Amino acid sequence: MRTQHTRRAVLGAGIAVAGTGVLAACSGSSGGMDHGSMKHGGSPSAAPGFVTPDGKEVAAAEAGRRPGPVRTVKLTATATPLELGGGRTVRSWAYGDRLPGQEVRVTAGDTLALTLANNLPQPTSLHWHGLALRNDMDGVPGLTQRDIRPGASFDYRFAVPHAGTYWFHPHSGTQQDRGLYAPLIVEDPREPLTYDKEWVVVLDDWVDGVDGSTPDGVLAELSKGMGDASGGHAGHGMPSPSGPVGGSGGSGGSGGPSRMMAGATSPLLGGDAGDVAYPYYLVNGRTPDDPAVFTAKPGDRIRLRLINAGGDTAFRVALGGHELTVTHTDGFPVQHAKTDALLLGMGERYDVLVTAKDGVFPLTALAEGKKQTARALLRTAGGAAPSASVRPRELDGKLLTADRLKADESVALPARKPDRTIRLKLTGGMEKYDWAFDRKPYSPARRHAVRAGERVRVVFSNSTTMWHPLHLHGHTFALANVPDGPRKDTAVILPNGTLTVDFDADNPGLWMIHCHNVYHSEAGMMTVLGYQK
């Protein structure tokens, strides 16, 4: 199998050659970092004065979380066949032999001790999306840990401080766009919500193993650029009669067909909806013609935990015949809000409550701007299920986005004047596929400095013609554009728009900020927030 050398991998190799030891192998059969011999954080000599992921400040912050009972988990990343429904089987990479991977469930205050064994042909890692955890467990090779080499394993161990809906995936190249993802559910020991059942719903766009395609091949094709001087997609605003499609000729870079998207438009996303024409869209690992089914009784109050694990797709989600009551976003409670549909960018999560009606109902996730859908079924009675082509009217009803929510009083960020403002400009386009912040592709040695105890404001300005879901590791921020903005770790910025977020610098270390479109981030739209000593 040919390995696509991403910008992150090439930079990392250069750092290793420079003698920092950042990407040295986890060479034993059991992992964990050799804190005595390994230097962290890319190139410490090039950026002195920053807290390192294994520094005393990180250890002190972890001790302050008062780690509780230990929950032990064993996980294996491996190449495996995956059955997507309708007789479709693909060869991909996954945690075990299922898609999504087996859910990990803990209680807030627990200590999670998870060993990841790497049976893949490439190095890998594991990032805990949304958790404010200790920095040396954040899972970013070349910044907070070493790669986990093939045949090796790594011991992740950290206190889990906050209840909520989270998930985990690699932070190694384009691996997240294979089958390497699973939910992480952190239960609240003082849960204020009352409900009868819980339904974890994971949304995904799927390309790996279909007609020879791989995410590495998709990135290789995209990286050639589209030659559109406007910086947007060729064919922008002109969908084909049958909807968005891949390119009509040429190879996708891995022996498969072209997967470059043309004609995917959405007013909700400011125009251009995505880069990649995926052959399938999934709910809980199943195609819409052979969907996953959740069974309940009429009148049951159900908590849905919605997770967008996609690589390049925003999903508009509705449950046919039902109104949604939004209770949380990105793990943190909000003032309850009713809606017909939700829009989730990659990496975003929402918790909603519904009261189940009598019958069989489609949970439909429209790939926004791409004109295809994923679906699952809620069944509370016998009878035939609606066909895969049925589009619930709720998809076109009242739509809720994060900027319309308000934080619950228990988690609202206290009013305070920012001590520091960091300004980041989103740059790049499809012509050269040169996505970046401030026209500077990712380097682990380039850091935006903060100090512990500060209120930090980050102002993102999007000079590109595309939307981007922006993710901050190790913290939650408040949307400062709106009064009493919700607490989140991932938020959408529209083309030519501005997103302002505030957070308290209370978790020392080196933390990624990046676009959660996996292809944009691998092209270079990543940077580092660094705590100064």
Side-chain angles (χ1 to χ4, degrees):
M1 178 180 292
R2 184 173 66 87
T3 300
Q4 171 72 22
H5 294 291
T6 66
R7 185 183 303 274
R8 185 192 336 236
V10 171
L11 283 167
I15 294 166
V17 169
T20 65
V22 169
L23 298 185
C26 287
S27 56
S29 60
S30 62
M33 289 182 289
D34 179 357
H35 298 291
S37 61
M38 175 183 169
K39 293 181 181 178
H40 286 279
S43 178
S45 60
F50 286 90
V51 173
T52 58
D54 59 350
K56 65 180 186 300
E57 300 90 345
V58 172
E62 180 73 350
R65 296 184 183 104
R66 305 170 70 95
V70 177
R71 170 84 164 91
T72 301
V73 179
K74 304 289 185 183
L75 200 65
T76 300
T78 190
T80 184
L82 295 171
E83 201 270 309
L84 304 181
R88 302 177 186 88
T89 299
V90 295
R91 187 82 181 174
S92 186
W93 300 351
Y95 297 126
D97 60 356
R98 58 185 294 171
L99 182 72
Q102 177 63 50
E103 160 190 309
V104 173
R105 189 171 287 259
V106 297
T107 299
D110 285 355
T111 297
L112 179 58
L114 185 145
T115 298
L116 176 64
N118 182 13
N119 288 357
L120 302 173
Q122 292 180 7
T124 192
S125 60
L126 205 158
H127 168 59
W128 311 89
H129 185 111
L131 285 188
L133 76 172
R134 59 179 299 152
N135 189 223
D136 54 356
M137 297 289 115
D138 191 48
V140 182
L143 188 72
T144 66
Q145 72 165 84
R146 301 166 175 168
D147 278 319
I148 308 171
R149 292 288 181 87
S153 62
F154 191 98
D155 297 323
Y156 292 92
R157 186 184 179 100
F158 53 87
V160 183
H162 299 122
T165 300
Y166 304 96
W167 62 300
F168 55 90
H169 59 80
H171 224 284
S172 299
T174 62
Q175 289 179 15
Q176 181 220 309
D177 215 23
R178 297 180 186 256
L180 294 166
Y181 58 83
L184 172 66
I185 307 303
V186 184
E187 296 181 333
D188 189 339
R190 297 177 295 276
E191 178 59 64
L193 297 179
T194 57
Y195 50 92
D196 303 297
K197 289 196 171 185
E198 189 174 305
W199 187 8
V200 179
V201 176
V202 184
L203 313 172
D204 191 21
D205 42 21
W206 191 271
V207 70
D208 194 35
V210 181
D211 298 328
S213 294
T214 67
D216 284 350
V218 171
L219 178 61
E221 180 187 17
L222 291 170
S223 296
K224 296 175 184 177
M226 297 186 78
D228 177 10
S230 71
H233 287 104
H236 176 80
M238 297 186 294
S240 70
S242 59
V245 295
S248 59
S251 167
S254 61
S258 172
R259 299 297 183 188
M260 191 175 286
M261 178 65 80
T265 59
S266 167
L268 284 176
L269 298 174
D272 204 338
D275 297 345
V276 182
Y278 287 89
Y280 302 124
Y281 297 89
L282 312 177
V283 176
N284 288 347
R286 309 295 294 181
T287 54
D289 57 345
D290 189 6
V293 179
F294 185 81
T295 303
K297 296 181 297 185
D300 275 350
R301 190 170 170 86
I302 304 170
R303 179 180 190 166
L304 284 79
R305 297 180 182 265
L306 301 167
I307 302 168
N308 184 353
D312 176 70
T313 304
F315 286 99
R316 193 192 318 187
V317 182
L319 178 61
H322 291 75
E323 183 179 57
L324 310 177
T325 299
V326 180
T327 64
H328 296 71
T329 180
D330 292 358
F332 277 66
V334 297
Q335 296 178 27
H336 290 192
K338 295 184 182 299
T339 189
D340 295 316
L342 285 166
L343 183 69
L344 285 82
M346 296 83 79
E348 286 191 289
R349 292 93 60 214
Y350 284 91
D351 290 22
V352 303
L353 292 175
V354 299
T355 300
K357 296 182 179 179
D358 191 357
V360 187
F361 306 95
L363 176 73
T364 302
L366 172 69
E368 183 63 32
K370 299 183 179 183
K371 298 185 178 180
Q372 291 178 258
T373 58
R375 74 164 186 158
L377 295 176
L378 169 63
R379 178 178 286 276
T380 65
S387 71
S389 63
V390 169
R391 179 187 174 111
R393 63 177 179 82
E394 287 81 4
L395 278 177
D396 301 308
K398 180 181 178 182
L399 179 75
L400 190 145
T401 52
D403 58 336
R404 297 178 180 272
L405 293 171
K406 294 184 179 295
D408 185 83
E409 185 178 352
S410 64
V411 298
L413 199 65
R416 176 179 167 186
K417 183 179 179 180
D419 300 296
R420 183 188 302 263
T421 298
I422 297 170
R423 300 183 184 276
L424 294 174
K425 186 176 182 180
L426 284 68
T427 58
M430 290 297 295
E431 182 183 9
K432 298 179 180 179
Y433 217 74
D434 54 350
W435 306 108
F437 289 113
D438 299 316
R439 303 192 182 280
K440 297 174 182 177
Y442 172 63
S443 167
R446 185 179 301 114
R447 297 162 189 181
H448 301 275
V450 301
R451 289 190 182 275
E454 290 182 330
R455 168 66 56 84
V456 180
R457 172 163 290 179
V458 184
V459 180
F460 299 95
S461 59
N462 186 3
S463 69
T464 81
T465 60
M466 288 196 69
W467 70 283
H468 304 272
L470 299 173
H471 176 49
L472 170 63
H473 287 208
H475 304 75
T476 62
F477 49 72
L479 297 187
N481 305 60
V482 294
D484 301 316
R487 297 285 298 277
K488 291 181 64 64
D489 54 69
T490 309
V492 169
I493 185 171
L494 295 178
N496 302 308
T498 299
L499 174 69
T500 303
V501 303
D502 291 345
F503 70 93
D504 288 334
D506 57 5
N507 195 13
L510 303 173
W511 301 103
M512 294 288 293
I513 303 175
H514 64 94
C515 176
H516 219 279
N517 182 313
V518 68
Y519 300 100
H520 293 182
S521 63
E522 283 307 301
M525 193 173 273
M526 305 187 290
T527 192
V528 178
L529 181 87
Y531 279 64
Q532 293 178 309
K533 289 186 176 180

